[in-house]
Amino acid sequence: MAFVLSEEQLMIQTLARDFAREVLLPTAAQRDRSREFPRDNLRQMSELGFMGMMVPSEYGGVGVDTVSYALALSEIAYGCASTAVVMSVHNSICCEALVRFGSDGQKASWLPRMTAGECIGAFALTEPSAGSDPSAQRSKAELRGDEWVLNGSKQFITTGRNAGMIIVTAVTDSGKGHRGISAFLVPQGAPGLIIGKEEDKLGLRASDTVQLIFEDCRIPAGNLLGKEGMGFKIAMSCLDGGRIGIAAQSVGVATACLDEALEFTQSREQFGRPVSDFQGLRWKMADMATEIEAARLLCLNAASLKDLGQRYSMQASMAKLFASEMVQRVAGQAIQMHGGYGFCTEYNVERHYRDCRVFTLYEGTSEIQRIVISNNLLGPPTVPK
């Protein structure tokens, strides 16, 4: 289907594009080297409305549609993928979870601070022994008087060190399987919350990824998100929106790779003419541009279905699967077109290549996306008795 963007959507896209290319891009390589969390950039983004894009205006958000959000996130990823992943988790999962499942009090307490950039959100689902199978998680929560007490650990948590609030899932009734998992709002600094090892990562190095440890971590009883036993449902429904976010990031990074390749091949001469004149490279760039456009349309299609209130889980998985694998092909080709220069940190394609590698892994691996898609097509597989 063809997408005709509204004036508002185009305005949001342009605003994000200008900010990404004028503010984020010039310092992205420096942040990659220093691993400095982009707090100042996020604060500026909140002033532009990018940290509460789909949050209603009554809570300080701008209340735009998912298509507008996907367009903006792609542009932010073009400038700095590390900043984009923080924006994505904050908007797609944390703000969305509060808007959809939070009580009036929880929304009033957290959302204005989140949209203002004062409180960045994180999402803690994955555990050392529970990645693709979140129903196997072992973290537990027990109600003791007027407090929930959490014990366990979470792994690979984006923004875990710098978040002001973390949505944490934990088992509250071990006899009910995934229906015994609940979700909680855990503020940074809660008694018993320990920030564990920070991962030294291949890419997205300005975005912290840490282990979280809960040792009799105490939070008020009112910090239960939704009802008891709804944690798995909350996580899965918000991950659908998060997968649109990963697709959008993939499109942004891939577009940056293509632009880098276009500029380099037109300025680099071999055998007396620009290398962009050689048919082998021209056809490769045609393929790259085609794949990016296909991923963009898959992403916008899933976002549009979400905005229309229709089922979009399969389309979100399709967008995430194709886009995250596409960007790795495009980044690899961009490095190839740079020759030996592409292997050097002086050129942005080297950073893009490292940043995009995780896109097929987090918020559901490519294999998990194929399970979601095939289950939507065929129903779940038959389990032998």
Side-chain angles (χ1 to χ4, degrees), residues 90-105:
H90 177 85
N91 277 279
S92 300
I93 299 181
C94 298
C95 289
E96 173 116 347
L98 273 165
V99 169
R100 292 184 59 190
F101 300 102
S103 66
D104 290 343

Side-chain angles (χ1 to χ4, degrees), residues 309-320:
Q310 299 182 17
R311 293 186 62 184
Y312 68 97
S313 178
M314 181 173 72
Q315 287 77 12
S317 285
M318 286 177 169
K320 200 267 190 187

